[in-house]
Coordinates of all heavy atoms in Angstrom, one line a residue:
D214 N -22.5 2.7 -11.7 CA -22.5 4.0 -11.1 C -21.5 4.0 -9.9 O -21.6 3.3 -9.0 CB -23.9 4.3 -10.5 CG -24.0 5.6 -9.8 OD1 -22.9 6.3 -9.6 OD2 -25.1 6.0 -9.4
P215 N -20.4 4.8 -10.0 CA -19.4 4.7 -9.0 C -19.9 5.1 -7.6 O -19.5 4.6 -6.6 CB -18.3 5.7 -9.5 CG -19.0 6.6 -10.4 CD -20.0 5.8 -11.1
E216 N -20.9 6.1 -7.6 CA -21.5 6.5 -6.3 C -22.2 5.3 -5.6 O -22.0 5.0 -4.4 CB -22.5 7.6 -6.5 CG -22.9 8.3 -5.2 CD -21.7 9.1 -4.6 OE1 -21.0 9.8 -5.3 OE2 -21.6 9.0 -3.3
A217 N -23.0 4.6 -6.4 CA -23.7 3.4 -5.9 C -22.7 2.3 -5.5 O -22.8 1.6 -4.5 CB -24.6 2.8 -7.0
A218 N -21.6 2.2 -6.3 CA -20.5 1.2 -6.0 C -19.9 1.5 -4.6 O -19.6 0.6 -3.8 CB -19.5 1.2 -7.1
L219 N -19.6 2.8 -4.4 CA -19.0 3.1 -3.1 C -19.9 2.9 -1.9 O -19.4 2.8 -0.8 CB -18.4 4.5 -3.2 CG -17.3 4.8 -4.1 CD1 -17.0 6.2 -4.3 CD2 -16.0 4.0 -3.6
G220 N -21.2 2.9 -2.2 CA -22.1 2.6 -1.1 C -22.5 1.1 -1.0 O -23.2 0.7 -0.1
G221 N -21.9 0.3 -1.9 CA -22.1 -1.1 -1.9 C -20.8 -1.9 -1.6 O -20.1 -1.6 -0.6
T222 N -20.5 -2.8 -2.4 CA -19.3 -3.7 -2.1 C -18.5 -3.9 -3.4 O -19.1 -3.8 -4.5 CB -19.7 -5.0 -1.6 OG1 -20.5 -5.7 -2.5 CG2 -20.5 -4.9 -0.3
M223 N -17.3 -4.2 -3.3 CA -16.4 -4.6 -4.4 C -16.6 -6.1 -4.7 O -16.7 -6.9 -3.8 CB -15.0 -4.2 -4.1 CG -14.7 -2.8 -3.8 SD -15.0 -1.7 -5.2 CE -13.8 -2.2 -6.3
V224 N -16.5 -6.4 -6.0 CA -16.5 -7.8 -6.4 C -15.1 -8.4 -6.1 O -14.1 -7.9 -6.5 CB -16.8 -7.9 -7.9 CG1 -16.7 -9.4 -8.4 CG2 -18.3 -7.4 -8.2
P225 N -15.1 -9.5 -5.4 CA -13.8 -10.2 -5.1 C -13.2 -10.9 -6.3 O -13.9 -11.3 -7.2 CB -14.1 -11.1 -4.0 CG -15.5 -11.6 -4.3 CD -16.2 -10.3 -4.8
I226 N -11.9 -11.1 -6.3 CA -11.3 -11.9 -7.3 C -11.7 -13.4 -6.9 O -11.8 -13.7 -5.8 CB -9.7 -11.8 -7.3 CG1 -9.1 -12.2 -5.9 CG2 -9.3 -10.4 -7.7 CD1 -7.6 -12.4 -5.9
G227 N -11.8 -14.2 -8.0 CA -12.0 -15.6 -7.7 C -13.2 -16.0 -6.9 O -13.2 -17.1 -6.3
E228 N -14.2 -15.1 -6.9 CA -15.5 -15.4 -6.2 C -15.3 -15.9 -4.8 O -14.6 -15.2 -4.0 CB -16.3 -16.5 -7.0 CG -16.6 -15.9 -8.4 CD -17.4 -16.9 -9.3 OE1 -17.4 -18.1 -9.0 OE2 -18.1 -16.4 -10.2
A229 N -15.7 -17.1 -4.4 CA -15.6 -17.5 -3.0 C -14.2 -17.7 -2.6 O -13.9 -17.5 -1.4 CB -16.4 -18.9 -2.8
K230 N -13.3 -18.0 -3.5 CA -11.9 -18.2 -3.1 C -11.3 -16.8 -2.7 O -10.5 -16.7 -1.8 CB -11.1 -18.7 -4.3 CG -11.5 -20.2 -4.6 CD -10.7 -20.7 -5.8 CE -11.1 -22.1 -6.1 NZ -10.4 -22.7 -7.3
G231 N -11.7 -15.8 -3.4 CA -11.2 -14.4 -3.0 C -11.7 -14.0 -1.6 O -10.9 -13.4 -0.8
T232 N -12.9 -14.3 -1.3 CA -13.4 -13.9 0.1 C -12.7 -14.8 1.2 O -12.5 -14.4 2.3 CB -14.9 -14.0 0.2 OG1 -15.4 -15.3 -0.2 CG2 -15.6 -13.0 -0.7
A233 N -12.4 -16.1 0.8 CA -11.7 -16.9 1.8 C -10.3 -16.3 2.0 O -9.8 -16.3 3.2 CB -11.6 -18.3 1.2
L234 N -9.6 -15.8 1.0 CA -8.3 -15.2 1.2 C -8.5 -13.9 2.0 O -7.6 -13.6 2.9 CB -7.7 -14.9 -0.2 CG -7.1 -16.1 -0.9 CD1 -6.7 -15.6 -2.4 CD2 -5.9 -16.6 -0.2
A235 N -9.6 -13.2 1.8 CA -9.8 -11.9 2.5 C -10.0 -12.2 4.0 O -9.5 -11.5 4.9 CB -11.0 -11.2 2.0
L236 N -10.6 -13.3 4.3 CA -10.8 -13.7 5.7 C -9.5 -14.1 6.3 O -9.1 -13.7 7.5 CB -11.8 -14.9 5.8 CG -11.9 -15.6 7.2 CD1 -12.4 -14.5 8.2 CD2 -12.9 -16.7 7.1
M237 N -8.6 -14.8 5.6 CA -7.3 -15.2 6.0 C -6.5 -13.9 6.4 O -5.9 -13.9 7.4 CB -6.6 -16.0 5.0 CG -5.2 -16.4 5.3 SD -4.3 -17.1 3.9 CE -3.8 -15.6 3.0
V238 N -6.5 -13.0 5.5 CA -5.8 -11.7 5.7 C -6.3 -11.0 6.9 O -5.6 -10.4 7.7 CB -5.8 -10.8 4.5 CG1 -5.2 -9.5 4.8 CG2 -5.1 -11.5 3.3
E239 N -7.7 -11.0 7.0 CA -8.3 -10.3 8.2 C -7.8 -10.8 9.5 O -7.5 -10.0 10.4 CB -9.8 -10.5 8.1 CG -10.7 -9.6 8.9 CD -10.8 -8.2 8.2 OE1 -10.7 -8.1 7.0 OE2 -11.0 -7.2 9.0
I240 N -7.6 -12.1 9.6 CA -7.1 -12.7 10.8 C -5.6 -12.4 11.0 O -5.2 -12.0 12.1 CB -7.4 -14.2 10.8 CG1 -8.9 -14.5 10.9 CG2 -6.6 -14.9 12.0 CD1 -9.3 -16.0 10.6
M241 N -4.8 -12.6 9.9 CA -3.4 -12.4 10.0 C -3.0 -10.9 10.3 O -2.0 -10.6 11.0 CB -2.7 -12.9 8.7 CG -2.6 -14.4 8.6 SD -1.5 -15.1 9.7 CE 0.1 -14.5 9.1
A242 N -3.8 -10.0 9.7 CA -3.4 -8.6 9.8 C -4.1 -7.9 11.0 O -3.6 -6.8 11.4 CB -3.8 -7.9 8.5
T243 N -5.2 -8.5 11.6 CA -5.9 -7.7 12.6 C -5.9 -8.5 13.9 O -5.5 -8.0 15.0 CB -7.3 -7.4 12.2 OG1 -8.0 -8.6 11.9 CG2 -7.3 -6.5 10.9
A244 N -6.4 -9.7 13.9 CA -6.5 -10.5 15.1 C -5.1 -10.7 15.7 O -4.8 -10.6 16.9 CB -7.2 -11.9 14.9
L245 N -4.1 -10.9 14.8 CA -2.7 -11.1 15.2 C -2.0 -9.9 15.7 O -1.1 -9.9 16.5 CB -1.9 -11.7 14.0 CG -0.5 -12.2 14.3 CD1 -0.5 -13.3 15.3 CD2 0.2 -12.6 13.0
T246 N -2.5 -8.7 15.2 CA -1.8 -7.5 15.5 C -2.6 -6.6 16.6 O -2.1 -5.6 17.0 CB -1.6 -6.6 14.3 OG1 -2.9 -6.2 13.8 CG2 -0.9 -7.3 13.2
G247 N -3.8 -7.1 17.0 CA -4.6 -6.3 17.9 C -5.2 -5.1 17.3 O -5.5 -4.1 18.0
S248 N -5.4 -5.1 16.0 CA -5.9 -3.9 15.3 C -7.4 -4.0 15.0 O -8.0 -5.0 15.4 CB -5.1 -3.8 13.9 OG -3.8 -3.6 14.2
A249 N -8.0 -3.0 14.4 CA -9.4 -3.0 14.1 C -9.7 -3.9 12.9 O -9.0 -3.8 11.9 CB -9.9 -1.6 13.8
F250 N -10.7 -4.7 13.0 CA -11.2 -5.4 11.8 C -11.7 -4.5 10.8 O -12.0 -3.3 11.1 CB -12.3 -6.4 12.2 CG -11.8 -7.6 13.0 CD1 -12.2 -7.8 14.3 CD2 -10.9 -8.5 12.4 CE1 -11.8 -8.9 15.0 CE2 -10.5 -9.6 13.1 CZ -10.9 -9.8 14.4
S251 N -11.7 -4.9 9.5 CA -12.1 -4.0 8.4 C -13.4 -3.3 8.7 O -13.7 -2.2 8.4 CB -12.1 -4.7 7.1 OG -10.8 -5.1 6.8
A252 N -14.4 -4.1 9.2 CA -15.7 -3.6 9.5 C -15.7 -2.5 10.6 O -16.7 -1.7 10.7 CB -16.7 -4.7 9.9
E253 N -14.7 -2.4 11.4 CA -14.5 -1.5 12.5 C -13.7 -0.3 12.1 O -13.7 0.7 12.8 CB -13.9 -2.1 13.7 CG -14.7 -3.4 14.2 CD -13.9 -4.2 15.2 OE1 -12.6 -4.1 15.2 OE2 -14.5 -4.9 16.0
A254 N -12.9 -0.4 11.1 CA -11.8 0.6 10.8 C -12.4 1.9 10.2 O -13.4 1.9 9.5 CB -10.9 0.0 9.7
G255 N -11.8 3.0 10.7 CA -12.2 4.3 10.1 C -11.7 4.4 8.7 O -10.8 3.7 8.3
S256 N -12.2 5.4 8.0 CA -11.9 5.6 6.6 C -10.5 6.1 6.4 O -10.0 6.9 7.2 CB -12.9 6.6 6.0 OG -12.5 7.1 4.7
F257 N -9.9 5.7 5.3 CA -8.6 6.2 4.9 C -8.7 7.6 4.3 O -7.7 8.3 4.1 CB -7.9 5.3 3.9 CG -7.3 4.0 4.4 CD1 -7.1 2.9 3.6 CD2 -7.0 3.8 5.8 CE1 -6.6 1.7 4.0 CE2 -6.5 2.7 6.2 CZ -6.3 1.6 5.4
F258 N -9.9 7.9 3.9 CA -10.1 9.1 3.0 C -10.7 10.3 3.8 O -10.4 11.5 3.5 CB -11.0 8.8 1.8 CG -10.3 7.8 0.9 CD1 -10.7 6.4 1.0 CD2 -9.4 8.1 0.0 CE1 -10.2 5.5 0.1 CE2 -8.8 7.2 -0.8 CZ -9.2 5.8 -0.8
S259 N -11.6 10.1 4.7 CA -12.2 11.2 5.4 C -11.4 11.7 6.6 O -10.8 10.9 7.3 CB -13.6 10.7 5.9 OG -14.2 11.7 6.8
A260 N -11.4 13.0 6.8 CA -10.7 13.6 7.9 C -11.5 13.4 9.2 O -11.0 13.6 10.3 CB -10.5 15.1 7.7
E261 N -12.8 13.0 9.1 CA -13.7 12.8 10.3 C -13.7 11.4 10.7 O -13.3 10.5 10.0 CB -15.1 13.3 9.9 CG -15.1 14.7 9.3 CD -14.5 15.7 10.2 OE1 -14.6 15.7 11.4 OE2 -13.8 16.6 9.6
G262 N -14.2 11.1 11.9 CA -14.4 9.8 12.4 C -13.2 9.2 13.0 O -12.1 9.9 13.2

Side-chain angles (χ1 to χ4, degrees):
D214 179 356
E216 193 69 42
L219 291 171
T222 61
M223 300 296 294
V224 174
I226 63 170
E228 300 182 333
K230 294 179 181 179
T232 56
L234 285 170
L236 173 58
M237 179 191 76
V238 172
E239 199 75 28
I240 293 169
M241 286 289 293
T243 61
L245 187 64
T246 67
S248 301
F250 287 115
S251 294
E253 304 166 334
S256 170
F257 286 160
F258 298 99
S259 171
E261 308 305 321

